[in-house]
Amino acid sequence: MRRTSFEIAGQSYDPKSRSLKRGSDEFRLSPRAARLIEVLAHTPMEVVGRDALMDQIWPDVTVGEESLTQVIAELRRALGDSARSPRFIETVAKAGYRLLVEPRICRQEAFAKQPSECSGNPAAPDDQPFATSIVVVPFDVVAGGRTADVLAHGLSRDVATNLARSRWLFVSARASAAALSSEHTEPPQIARRLGVRYALWGSVIVSDGRLRVMVSLCDSQSGAVLWAERYDRAMSDLFELLDDVGLEVGRTVEAEISQHLRHVARVTPVETLDAWGLYHRAAKYRFATTAQDIDEVDRLLGVAAQLAPHSARIRAASALVQLRRHAYLAPRGSVDALERANEIAQAAVTLDSCEAEAMVVLGRTLGMFGQSGGALDWLRRAVHANPCSFDARTFLALSLLIAGQRREALEHVGMAERLSPFDPIAYTVHATKAQAMALTGDPDAALDFSERAALHPNANVQISAVAAWCASAAGKLELARNHASRLLRARPGFVADDFFSWFHFTGSDRETITRALRHAGL
């Protein structure tokens, strides 16, 4: 078999590197996208059926049409094409796809079949690598008849949807998982046959007005069960049950996979890590507060970005680093790091318009610039893009509180608490709830939540300021002054007005907080 180099409307395709080049820009394709463009280029101006494409791109693997759709989308991004107004790849309804331009052949060369085409990870494309791929196996019904069957189907569907919204997980097509499951194939084997790293499966029991869901997550390589949990709920509204358990399972599975990948990255020599490994190695410094640690995570993500220049998730992580640089290292009055965070997050959203983590950064930076409307818009979009995002829920709640929308703020606080009750940044939820309670006339509850926030091991200087004014509002002036002293040791010269460079409260809320901070000695 021979591999061809060619040009499409000035964009050159190099089969050795599997890349499309346009001027100085280069887009490296996954093995599947590379195979797709080669197949389409071989028959330009002709419709190639979906089944024929799947047979050539996944010759030894059963996949659903969703997998082909994802590869088509990747190739369109590389070409700068649009599904609505195609210039290069046209979707022909109920038929297949057609390349709309004649490629100009540059050269041909012999090539051997690539390892990825016969072993390893046949289903997951490079920009969603094997390490971050998962299949959700349809949940089994143990007992409960029709109701249990509806819940089992709905839960597996909702969990898969929530995981796919994370943007960094490749979720294998449900149709393929269902086909293999119907053959009574074990979940780890289903994952291996689909070429994905993780398998999630579960069972449903409905009895005496109660629901029990048991869920397990395994690594298909080792067969080891990484996580298992049981959820018991009283039967009420079916849709509410689906939302409740589906969101919780989705968030927990995402967190467990992240933790597993971080462990793998920590025990792997850094010089051998790929872009995704470097990303997870950098996660070790997620809560960095010193210049040395912040610089190190910046360096790791910089190398990762060079290896994967089109990864929106890596750019979003880099934007978060700049937020920490602003919070812990920036001189008073400097917004350089804040502007840089906003700039990088914008670039991430340009690469992937559904990257929730980047939207959170955009919302946070705009909030710090006092643009509450823009902040709320981005944070609402982040929640829509990934309802399981603890960060999106938490910072949307804070922005809503600052905007005076206290009731809705507390709703998102409650959802964040349900999603991740032991989250490493749970102090942000406690602090937001504390401020909401203080501003609605419940100083005792505010004091309780502000102390929880202040005692959290990852709490920052902003939390000391919140704890100071909430304690002051509750009449605990000695406690308030202790928090203020801690704040002043970290930020000498801090005064009450500095609080509002972090939290842009206005009107009567600002007046209330200012009085409380001044009573605390700030």
Side-chain angles (χ1 to χ4, degrees), residues 353-386:
S353 62
C354 294
E355 176 49 65
E357 193 166 302
M359 295 178 192
V360 171
V361 175
L362 287 171
R364 292 177 65 186
T365 54
L366 290 177
M368 291 180 193
F369 285 128
Q371 300 177 30
S372 60
L376 282 173
D377 179 56
W378 278 112
L379 290 164
R380 288 188 191 280
R381 290 173 64 180
V383 168
H384 178 75
N386 185 3

Side-chain angles (χ1 to χ4, degrees), residues 8 54 101 158 176 245 266 273 282 320-321 337 348 366 435 480 483 493:
I8 296 177
M54 289 191 288
V101 294
D158 285 0
S176 296
V245 179
R266 281 197 300 270
L273 291 172
L320 278 169
V321 174
L366 290 177
Q435 295 190 92
H483 287 302

Side-chain angles (χ1 to χ4, degrees), residues 418-439:
R418 286 168 55 198
L419 284 171
S420 188
F422 304 107
D423 198 272
I425 61 168
Y427 58 86
T428 55
V429 172
H430 299 325
T432 298
K433 199 167 187 176
Q435 295 190 92
M437 295 294 99
L439 291 170

Side-chain angles (χ1 to χ4, degrees), residues 134-149:
I134 187 171
V135 57
V136 179
V137 179
F139 287 16
D140 293 327
V141 174
V142 177
R146 175 63 180 163
T147 300
D149 187 58

Side-chain angles (χ1 to χ4, degrees), residues 423-424 426-428 430-431 447-460 463-464 466-468 479 482-483 486:
D423 198 272
Y427 58 86
T428 55
H430 299 325
L447 179 64
D448 178 45
F449 285 109
S450 67
E451 287 302 298
R452 289 195 209 179
L455 291 171
H456 195 283
N458 293 326
N460 55 30
I463 302 305
S464 294
V466 171
L479 180 59
N482 287 339
H483 287 302
R486 187 178 302 114

Side-chain angles (χ1 to χ4, degrees), residues 180-450:
L180 292 174
S181 179
S182 67
E183 299 172 3
H184 305 291
T185 307
E186 290 298 311
Q189 187 179 354
I190 290 175
R192 287 192 290 271
R193 288 184 64 180
L194 292 175
V196 297
R197 178 68 182 269
Y198 301 99
L200 178 76
W201 71 97
S203 60
V204 173
I205 300 173
V206 174
S207 178
D208 296 327
R210 293 193 64 80
L211 166 72
R212 172 168 289 178
V213 180
M214 291 167 285
V215 189
S216 298
L217 173 73
C218 81
D219 177 358
S220 68
Q221 283 190 319
S222 65
V225 175
L226 304 177
W227 168 78
E229 186 59 88
R230 184 180 76 189
Y231 300 90
D232 289 315
R233 297 287 190 275
M235 289 290 291
S236 54
D237 182 86
L238 289 185
F239 288 106
E240 185 177 338
L241 272 174
L242 287 172
D243 285 345
D244 181 25
V245 179
L247 281 172
E248 190 167 341
V249 172
R251 184 213 61 81
T252 305
V253 168
E254 185 178 354
E256 290 292 332
I257 292 176
S258 291
Q259 182 177 349
H260 184 246
L261 290 172
R262 287 196 293 272
H263 171 73
V264 171
R266 281 197 300 270
V267 299
T268 303
V270 68
E271 62 274 9
T272 66
L273 291 172
D274 59 9
W276 204 239
L278 288 166
Y279 168 84
H280 283 284
R281 183 67 162 257
K284 170 185 176 182
Y285 302 95
R286 181 184 176 192
F287 303 106
T289 58
T290 66
Q292 180 180 355
D293 285 351
I294 289 173
D295 287 345
E296 176 63 9
V297 70
D298 219 351
R299 184 189 70 81
L300 289 172
L301 291 172
V303 176
Q306 290 176 3
L307 294 173
H310 300 285
S311 170
R313 174 50 59 95
I314 290 172
R315 291 196 185 226
S318 296
L320 278 169
V321 174
Q322 298 307 315
L323 275 183
R324 297 197 74 78
R325 190 178 293 283
H326 172 76
Y328 290 98
L329 304 178
R332 176 178 291 180
S334 172
V335 294
D336 291 348
L338 203 57
E339 290 177 343
R340 180 65 177 147
N342 183 274
E343 176 186 328
I344 297 172
Q346 286 281 6
V349 171
T350 299
L351 287 169
D352 184 346
S353 62
C354 294
E355 176 49 65
E357 193 166 302
M359 295 178 192
V360 171
V361 175
L362 287 171
R364 292 177 65 186
T365 54
L366 290 177
M368 291 180 193
F369 285 128
Q371 300 177 30
S372 60
L376 282 173
D377 179 56
W378 278 112
L379 290 164
R380 288 188 191 280
R381 290 173 64 180
V383 168
H384 178 75
N386 185 3
C388 292
S389 171
F390 174 85
D391 286 5
R393 297 277 185 182
T394 298
F395 291 106
L396 174 57
L398 176 59
S399 289
L400 287 166
L401 178 62
I402 291 171
Q405 301 176 44
R406 297 169 187 166
R407 182 174 179 178
E408 188 180 354
L410 287 172
E411 289 175 0
H412 286 283
V413 163
M415 180 60 75
E417 289 177 320
R418 286 168 55 198
L419 284 171
S420 188
F422 304 107
D423 198 272
I425 61 168
Y427 58 86
T428 55
V429 172
H430 299 325
T432 298
K433 199 167 187 176
Q435 295 190 92
M437 295 294 99
L439 291 170
T440 52
D442 191 348
D444 292 335
L447 179 64
D448 178 45
F449 285 109
S450 67

